[in-house]
Amino acid sequence: FGSSFRHPSRCILTCAFAPTPFVRQSRLQTTVITNMSSAQDNRDGNEPQAHMEPQEIAQETGTDLSKGLTSERADELLEEHGRNELEKPPRPSLAMLFALQLCSFVIVLLLIAAVASVVVNATGSKKDDPLSYTTGIAIFIIVFINASIAAWTEHKAGDALEALTKMSQATISVLRDGSEMKLEVPLLVKGDIVILETGDVVPADLRLLEAEDLKVSEMALTGEPDDVSKTWKVKSPDDESEKLTPENMVFSGCSVSNGKGRGIVTSTGMHTRIGRIAKLIEGDEEEKPKKKCFCLPDMTGNMTPLQTNLEKLGARIGVLAIVVCVIIFIVGVLLGRKDPSNPDGSSALYMVLISVTLAVAAIPEGIPLCVTISLSIGCKEMVTKHVLVRKLAAVETLGSASVICSDKTGTLTEGKMTLVKMYAAGQKYDVEGKGFDPTVGKIMRSGTSRDAGQDMGVRSCLLSGLLCCNTVLEQVKDEETGALKYEPRGNSSEAPIVVASRKAGFDETSFAQYSRVVEVPFSSSRKMMLTVCRVEGRQHLCQNGMPLDAGAKYMSICKGAPNYIIDTCKEVLNEDGSVSKMTEETKRELLEIVDDYSSQALRVLAIATRCMKEIPFDLEDDDITTDQKFQSCCQELRLIGLVASIDPDRDGVPQSVETAKGAGIRVVMITGDYLKTAAAIARNVNIIGKDDNEAQVAVDCTRLRPNEEYLNHQEMDALTRDTVVFARAKPEDKLEIVKSLQRQGFVTAMTGDGVNDAPALNQADIGVAMGIQGTEVAKGASDMILTDDNFTSIVAAVEKGRAIYAGIQKFVAFIMSVHIAEVIQIAFCIIVGMPVMRTPLQILFLILVTDLPPSIALGMEPGEATILKDKPRPKTEPVVLHFMWVSMVLNGLILSSIIIVVYILALMLECDGAFLQQDIESLANYNNHIMAARTVAFISLVWSENVRSYTSRSFDKPVWRNVLGNKDMQKAIVLAQLALYAAVLIPTFSDMILGLDGTIIGWKGWVMALAGPVAFLVLCEVCKFITAWQMRRYQRQLARQQPAPMKDCKSGDAIEQKTSFIQNENRNCQD
């Protein structure tokens, strides 16, 4: 949220943009209505649609309330009113990005150096020679080229991120042309009929037409933390005089926290209530946007932590470069160093030019560009691994992840549940088949092969379950094969019941015979769903079904967690249709059956009913809450049976879990399933290892909150330190688990899909939302989205994140070693009294033309095969580690030493054995001799840096290992070589501008240049032994810094007692 907290209305708008009303709740609650005159407007009736009948609103837009808009009319309204979007600040143009590049501290130093070069030459003896200005002009040109490339790259990266954003564009269900369809939110128009479900973010201002237990979080709009109940009925203005929003309207940016509804769009875009707040902010002159360089927008807020750190690193190096320049300037003036081409000139002016050369050599101008390219390309490549990165900073954090907390259904498992066993009316049954095809398989009594689909207990149990479902089974065409296949539409946990019901002879037409009058949707707190259906006039539930109580008009059906439902049952159905009391012995037997099914990794649901002569409340009374309805109907139930479904493991998940463990990442499963079911599945996917003590590593989440209050921090941390399975978890448990792990120093990734998962996703270091099953609220709170909901994609993303970060470290080390070498070479020449090895223009050409392509290639370096065997890096770890600094300095010294030797030998070869400037100046035509020696050193340096590009691909592995593994590197080296030969062989450009000439050095010069990279390769590989030793020591240090498992912790008796408590509680826990 940044500085927007200083303005309440700005804060509210930011929430709506997210759209994540759950984010930072405690801070939001203190910032709301103080700056909102619209709060009073709410009471003044400025929403006239709230007091209009739906038909009146529909007439304005030509909407058919039963069929929705036609496509043609929707297109007309879209053209008339525009897209359903808030006005956003325009993206910086390419010209603006170019101007921003010129404001970089590093670039400013280069511009100062260019100006200094021009000024010195303009006041010197060669002021009339146009070629004397080539250095300054060339610096300007190269800075222009660098800024252009950086601006273009950033612009394209913005395009790529915008494309990724569109891939995860929010959609909503609407009614058009008489059919329900998914529509992108920006295409919504006034008059559309919108269908809302739990987890949706309201896409526009709506007048409700239907509302079933609908509750909306309006905190993004009003700041009120409590969910607001909604109705479709028209209320009088007097009834709503004290309410901030009308009860029969929902507003854009708010999230549906419970129930479902249907509404007609009354306002879109800037005409919505949140849009009106946006207009207020546009007129807010109190706080102006931050500016950079007096007039340009400050874009530093969009930088990732890595980019910020590297920007600071570049600035520190720039300051250091200034200090070095000043020192060398003073030393040069005191030693009387003069320009070889103008021996009579001023030493001070010459040393200004040398300082310019040093500044150019010291400043790492290529790092920001390479980082931008690496991050943008990395995000695009992650799409191929089914990961959409919403925040660039997540790419960096992925490499630090030490715990992955994952949901089970659809992430670790396929999410295609199949009913395989059931218990009904005192008998056990097996169900054949796999997937959603109801024509495959049959229902059999356990131990037999006889079709038992017509047994009273089977039909009663499955029909009861079907009447408490909202899922339907449809035949759709497979996009790949064109064949028809069955697919469920609705809740995945209900699909097994629907499919098995078909096998028993029931289908969706059964609903019409039992009209539903009450529905209480499933909630994570109740762990149950309840419906009430009409059964008036029936003696039996169905043909071959259980008998109904005499005079029964309604039947209450409850479906959900076995332990919850069994506790509410007073009776149990017998095989002959009679009922018996639910005794403690019966409960124990039933729980043993649940345990047996759960130990087979089956998910168990219980189904219970209650016959009623009358509904125990007034259906027309809107003041009765959902909980009151539930409590009044969920009493004295009769247990009909249990259904047990299996959700197969996703392919590759067990291997990915093992890979994560090898990478030092603990995988934690958090599920609403029964403890034994969760533990069995965790063993199947290797989350619980062969040697793990299940009683210690798998716990029921009631242990987190005995007496409905969470444990204190010390006890909570002791419980979560070793646990890898949390069963029967509520969404709020996820938040407490994440906080506990973070207190212990773990960097946590958390998956989530529901509206109530948003706080945990926001709290986690990496929030991961599901792309298929995830709600818009969960996606809005996340850092990245899994487009296939697959756990293996998380591990693949971690691997890619580590590879991207490692690539950035490699090219930073490469660039820095090159700059260190350049500074050492120039400083050595000045101190010893040799002709300066190269000009500022030559240095810029080296860095930006021959060094930049290999640097970019290093940023795209594939991850090393062992990258997932390293320990996670600490989140606060600097980009350049100690062993990297050692490697950079050693390589810089080796490169400098070799090139200096090559240069000295070249000077001696070209200058009759002389290498000091004062001796060379006595030779005839000595400037050509110096040019030849510089050319030899230049060629040797380029070749050596190309060798360095290959050795930089690994800090500790030999260069010949997978030497051609990076195809981009081969392209970069070819480009660098072409640039080299253009620099030394093209007439005028080489000799007149760059001051190089490859045609005058002869074969001896080329051979001498070749000696440099050969020697450099040998010495660099020797240095890797030192770096490898330091890396191993660093990994051991990281391992010691990892939070210790509780079994290894020596913190005292309290933790030992807690461990004993957990084990004893799990042994005694029957549910």
Side-chain angles (χ1 to χ4, degrees):
F1 292 90
S3 61
S4 58
F5 279 104
R6 290 193 292 271
H7 293 274
S9 56
R10 193 184 303 275
C11 176
I12 293 164
L13 182 63
T14 308
C15 282
F17 283 151
T20 315
F22 292 96
V23 177
R24 306 287 190 267
Q25 291 190 14
S26 60
R27 298 179 70 182
L28 276 171
Q29 291 169 12
T30 62
T31 60
V32 194
I33 303 180
T34 55
N35 195 30
M36 287 181 58
S37 59
S38 59
Q40 180 61 39
D41 292 341
N42 295 336
R43 303 189 183 99
D44 293 340
N46 69 337
E47 302 291 350
Q49 297 89 349
H51 308 293
M52 296 170 61
E53 292 297 332
Q55 194 60 47
E56 297 179 61
I57 303 172
Q59 287 176 355
E60 294 181 7
T61 55
T63 304
D64 185 327
L65 292 179
S66 62
K67 296 182 179 179
L69 289 169
T70 63
S71 298
E72 294 77 11
R73 179 57 178 156
D75 291 339
E76 293 174 4
L77 291 168
L78 184 64
E79 182 70 24
E80 179 181 349
H81 298 290
R83 289 168 65 87
N84 178 35
E85 295 175 325
L86 295 183
E87 293 177 1
K88 296 180 288 188
R91 273 181 55 194
S93 64
L94 191 60
M96 182 68 72
L97 290 172
F98 174 80
L100 285 168
Q101 298 298 325
L102 300 180
C103 291
S104 165
F105 180 75
V106 169
I107 297 299
V108 169
L109 288 180
L110 287 176
L111 291 174
I112 292 173
V115 171
S117 175
V118 171
V119 170
V120 168
N121 283 290
T123 57
S125 58
K126 296 182 179 180
K127 61 183 179 181
D128 297 326
D129 183 6
L131 292 179
S132 66
Y133 299 100
T134 54
T135 296
I137 294 172
I139 293 176
F140 280 120
I141 292 173
I142 292 180
V143 164
F144 176 85
I145 293 173
N146 179 66
S148 299
I149 294 173
W152 175 255
T153 302
E154 190 168 339
H155 182 71
K156 296 301 290 183
D159 289 342
L161 289 175
E162 196 168 278
L164 294 180
T165 301
K166 289 180 179 178
M167 290 178 67
S168 59
Q169 179 72 58
T171 59
I172 196 73
S173 295
V174 300
L175 193 64
R176 280 193 183 177
D177 298 317
S179 301
E180 185 178 330
M181 60 179 289
K182 286 286 186 180
L183 185 72
E184 290 187 1
V185 168
L187 302 180
L188 205 64
V189 297
K190 184 177 180 180
D192 262 322
I193 304 296
V194 176
I195 300 164
L196 297 173
E197 295 182 350
T198 301
D200 286 339
V201 174
V202 180
D205 289 359
L206 309 179
R207 163 66 163 86
L208 290 173
L209 308 175
E210 299 175 9
E212 295 182 25
D213 194 24
L214 185 66
K215 292 184 179 180
V216 176
S217 171
E218 294 184 340
M219 189 168 62
L221 187 68
T222 67
E224 293 296 326
D226 296 329
D227 294 342
V228 180
S229 296
K230 294 292 182 177
T231 180
W232 60 271
K233 298 180 179 179
V234 176
K235 296 289 185 76
S236 68
D238 293 337
D239 292 339
E240 298 195 325
S241 60
E242 296 302 320
K243 295 181 178 179
L244 291 175
T245 58
E247 284 189 2
N248 60 2
M249 292 194 70
V250 290
F251 297 94
S252 177
C254 301
S255 61
V256 179
S257 56
N258 193 68
K260 55 186 179 181
R262 181 175 296 205
I264 183 170
V265 176
T266 60
S267 303
T268 61
M270 294 299 289
H271 300 289
T272 61
R273 182 168 291 194
I274 207 74
R276 296 199 291 271
I277 298 175
K279 290 179 181 177
L280 291 176
I281 295 173
E282 286 178 4
D284 184 2
E285 298 296 329
E286 188 175 331
E287 179 181 317
K288 297 289 186 180
K290 292 182 179 179
K291 298 292 184 180
K292 188 173 183 179
C293 296
F294 305 106
C295 60
L296 299 176
D298 186 0
M299 304 295 291
T300 54
N302 297 331
M303 295 173 67
T304 72
L306 174 64
Q307 291 172 318
T308 302
N309 291 337
L310 288 175
E311 182 84 9
K312 292 178 180 177
L313 176 64
R316 287 195 294 268
I317 292 172
V319 173
L320 181 62
I322 294 173
V323 174
V324 172
C325 290
V326 171
I327 294 173
I328 294 298
F329 175 81
I330 295 172
V331 171
V333 171
L334 293 177
L335 294 176
R337 306 303 185 204
K338 295 188 177 183
D339 187 354
S341 61
N342 183 21
D344 299 327
S346 168
S347 175
L349 290 178
Y350 175 63
M351 287 311 302
V352 169
L353 292 177
I354 295 301
S355 297
V356 169
T357 304
L358 272 174
V360 172
I363 297 170
E365 56 278 340
I367 289 180
L369 174 61
C370 290
V371 172
T372 302
I373 292 174
S374 293
L375 289 177
S376 60
I377 291 177
C379 288
K380 289 172 66 177
E381 289 180 350
M382 280 195 178
V383 175
T384 64
K385 298 182 182 295
H386 307 288
V387 175
L388 288 179
V389 177
R390 297 184 66 251
K391 301 172 185 176
L392 274 180
V395 178
E396 307 161 29
T397 313
L398 278 170
S400 301
S402 53
V403 176
I404 299 175
C405 297
S406 175
D407 287 328
K408 175 187 71 69
T409 304
T411 306
L412 296 170
T413 60
E414 290 184 359
K416 297 178 180 179
M417 301 186 70
T418 305
L419 199 149
V420 293
K421 291 184 181 295
M422 61 184 294
Y423 173 87
Q427 297 297 321
K428 292 183 178 180
Y429 297 87
D430 297 328
V431 183
E432 289 182 332
K434 185 177 181 181
F436 303 126
D437 190 344
T439 63
V440 177
K442 60 184 179 180
I443 303 171
M444 305 169 295
R445 187 169 293 197
S446 296
T448 71
S449 58
R450 180 180 66 84
D451 189 337
Q454 297 303 309
D455 282 12
M456 183 276 297
V458 170
R459 290 179 63 78
S460 300
C461 183
L462 291 178
L463 179 57
S464 298
L466 185 66
L467 294 177
C468 197
C469 289
N470 288 320
T471 299
V472 296
L473 197 63
E474 299 176 334
Q475 272 194 306
V476 297
K477 182 177 289 187
D478 191 309
E479 295 181 359
E480 295 181 359
T481 65
L484 291 176
K485 64 177 183 178
Y486 286 93
E487 275 191 1
R489 180 164 58 85
N491 192 312
S492 61
S493 66
E494 295 178 347
I497 298 175
V498 175
V499 174
S501 299
R502 286 279 189 102
K503 294 177 182 179
F506 301 110
D507 57 26
E508 282 71 20
T509 59
S510 304
F511 288 113
Q513 303 174 34
Y514 306 86
S515 59
R516 184 180 296 180
V517 293
V518 176
E519 177 183 336
V520 177
F522 174 87
S523 77
S524 57
S525 58
R526 286 190 291 266
K527 296 289 185 183
M528 290 178 279
M529 175 182 176
L530 181 140
T531 59
V532 177
C533 299
R534 292 184 185 273
V535 293
E536 188 174 5
R538 294 178 178 272
Q539 294 182 343
H540 293 80
L541 178 61
C542 60
Q543 185 178 359
N544 296 337
M546 65 181 182
L548 301 177
D549 294 352
K553 295 181 180 180
Y554 302 94
M555 187 172 74
S556 172
I557 307 151
C558 195
K559 164 176 64 72
N563 51 301
Y564 284 82
I565 288 183
I566 290 173
D567 283 343
T568 60
C569 287
K570 299 298 183 183
E571 299 174 338
V572 59
L573 180 66
N574 297 322
E575 186 178 8
D576 59 2
S578 63
V579 295
S580 56
K581 282 192 173 183
M582 177 71 75
T583 63
E584 290 300 319
E585 178 65 18
T586 306
K587 281 188 179 182
R588 186 184 61 78
E589 292 174 357
L590 288 169
L591 289 173
E592 286 179 354
I593 295 172
V594 173
D595 282 347
D596 178 44
Y597 286 160
S598 298
S599 64
Q600 301 173 52
L602 303 181
R603 184 179 185 185
V604 186
L605 293 176
I607 298 171
T609 65
R610 174 192 172 193
C611 291
M612 300 182 293
K613 293 182 178 181
E614 297 294 340
I615 294 178
F617 56 86
D618 184 359
L619 288 173
E620 302 300 320
D621 188 352
D622 291 335
D623 294 329
I624 297 179
T625 66
T626 300
D627 287 336
Q628 289 173 334
K629 293 178 183 179
F630 181 82
Q631 292 298 330
S632 61
C633 294
C634 188
Q635 295 178 10
E636 299 181 350
L637 297 179
R638 176 184 302 165
L639 183 72
I640 308 301
L642 306 168
V643 291
S645 306
I646 190 167
D647 191 3
D649 310 333
R650 276 187 178 270
D651 291 339
V653 166
Q655 295 82 0
S656 294
V657 171
E658 285 298 318
T659 300
K661 289 181 177 180
I665 301 171
R666 174 153 62 103
V667 181
V668 175
M669 184 173 80
I670 304 177
T671 176
D673 278 350
Y674 188 71
L675 179 60
K676 287 187 176 292
T677 304
I681 293 172
R683 283 200 180 276
N684 290 346
V685 297
N686 295 330
I687 290 178
I688 296 180
K690 295 179 181 178
D691 300 326
D692 287 338
N693 181 353
E694 186 175 311
Q696 182 175 342
V697 300
V699 300
D700 191 296
C701 279
T702 54
R703 305 283 81 79
L704 302 178
R705 37 183 164 78
N707 303 319
E708 296 304 318
E709 290 187 5
Y710 285 105
L711 301 170
N712 61 46
H713 288 179
Q714 182 181 1
E715 292 178 327
M716 179 72 78
D717 295 349
L719 180 59
T720 61
R721 186 180 294 274
D722 272 347
T723 303
V724 294
V725 175
F726 292 94
R728 290 207 298 163
K730 296 180 179 181
E732 50 267 33
D733 295 335
K734 285 186 173 183
L735 181 60
E736 296 301 322
I737 292 167
V738 170
K739 289 180 179 179
S740 175
L741 292 171
Q742 289 175 330
R743 282 196 300 270
Q744 298 169 62
F746 293 106
V747 177
T748 307
M750 170 66 76
T751 70
D753 54 11
V755 60
N756 290 330
D757 290 333
L761 291 174
N762 182 68
Q763 176 68 35
D765 299 284
I766 310 165
V768 184
M770 302 296 107
I772 299 173
Q773 297 290 338
T775 62
E776 296 303 329
V777 173
K779 293 175 184 178
S782 67
D783 300 299
M784 60 189 223
I785 299 171
L786 301 184
T787 58
D788 61 352
D789 290 9
N790 195 337
F791 176 83
T792 58
S793 299
I794 304 177
V795 179
V798 170
E799 181 178 15
K800 187 62 183 175
R802 287 190 180 188
I804 293 171
Y805 196 86
I808 291 173
Q809 288 180 314
K810 289 171 184 175
F811 76 64
V812 169
F814 169 75
I815 291 176
M816 291 301 298
S817 65
V818 169
H819 283 276
I820 289 171
E822 291 288 353
V823 171
I824 292 173
Q825 292 166 46
I826 303 300
F828 181 86
C829 291
I830 293 296
I831 294 171
V832 173
M834 295 165 53
V836 176
M837 195 178 297
R838 59 189 62 90
T839 65
L841 183 56
Q842 291 170 4
I843 293 173
L844 271 179
F845 187 88
L846 274 170
I847 293 171
L848 296 178
V849 181
T850 63
D851 292 346
L852 187 59
S855 299
I856 295 173
L858 281 171
M860 294 184 285
E861 181 73 20
E864 295 186 20
T866 60
I867 197 166
L868 283 180
K869 293 182 181 179
D870 295 335
K871 299 297 180 186
R873 63 178 178 82
K875 190 177 180 181
T876 56
E877 176 186 270
V879 179
V880 182
L881 302 172
H882 175 71
F883 71 83
M884 295 178 190
W885 280 112
V886 173
S887 174
M888 288 188 301
V889 172
L890 281 177
N891 281 277
L893 287 171
I894 292 170
L895 182 59
S896 299
S897 302
I898 290 173
I899 300 304
I900 287 171
V901 170
V902 169
Y903 184 49
I904 291 174
L905 293 176
L907 283 173
M908 294 175 68
L909 175 67
E910 298 290 341
C911 301
D912 299 331
F915 64 87
L916 296 177
Q917 182 171 323
Q918 60 184 10
D919 298 328
I920 295 173
E921 288 175 355
S922 62
L923 300 175
N925 201 19
Y926 62 86
N927 280 325
N928 285 342
H929 296 302
I930 294 175
M931 180 190 292
R934 283 176 173 171
T935 302
V936 172
F938 187 89
I939 295 171
S940 186
L941 180 63
V942 172
W943 285 347
S944 297
E945 289 182 356
N946 289 167
V947 169
R948 169 74 176 138
S949 302
Y950 281 98
T951 63
S952 296
R953 293 182 62 221
S954 176
F955 287 104
D956 59 339
K957 302 294 188 302
V959 67
W960 57 82
R961 181 173 296 182
N962 194 24
V963 66
L964 300 179
N966 185 350
K967 294 180 180 179
D968 294 309
M969 183 61 75
Q970 277 67 266
K971 299 174 185 176
I973 296 302
V974 169
L975 183 60
Q977 288 298 302
L978 291 175
L980 166 64
Y981 301 126
V984 299
L985 296 176
I986 295 179
T988 305
F989 174 66
S990 62
D991 53 354
M992 301 298 290
I993 297 177
L994 288 178
L996 302 169
D997 193 346
T999 63
I1000 64 174
I1001 62 175
W1003 67 270
K1004 292 182 180 179
W1006 287 96
V1007 171
M1008 192 177 295
L1010 182 60
V1014 173
F1016 183 68
L1017 175 61
V1018 173
L1019 292 176
C1020 275
E1021 290 301 293
V1022 172
C1023 282
K1024 282 188 177 180
F1025 287 103
I1026 300 174
T1027 308
W1029 172 76
Q1030 289 184 314
M1031 289 180 67
R1032 287 194 297 270
R1033 188 177 67 171
Y1034 175 72
Q1035 284 296 320
R1036 289 194 297 269
Q1037 181 182 351
L1038 271 187
R1040 289 194 299 269
Q1041 289 176 351
Q1042 290 292 317
M1046 187 167 61
K1047 59 189 176 184
D1048 298 330
C1049 187
K1050 307 296 184 183
S1051 60
D1053 295 337
I1055 292 180
E1056 293 177 3
Q1057 291 172 1
K1058 184 62 186 174
T1059 306
S1060 177
F1061 166 76
I1062 296 166
Q1063 294 171 338
N1064 291 334
E1065 286 295 308
N1066 283 334
R1067 280 197 294 268
N1068 295 330
C1069 181
Q1070 294 300 312
D1071 51 305

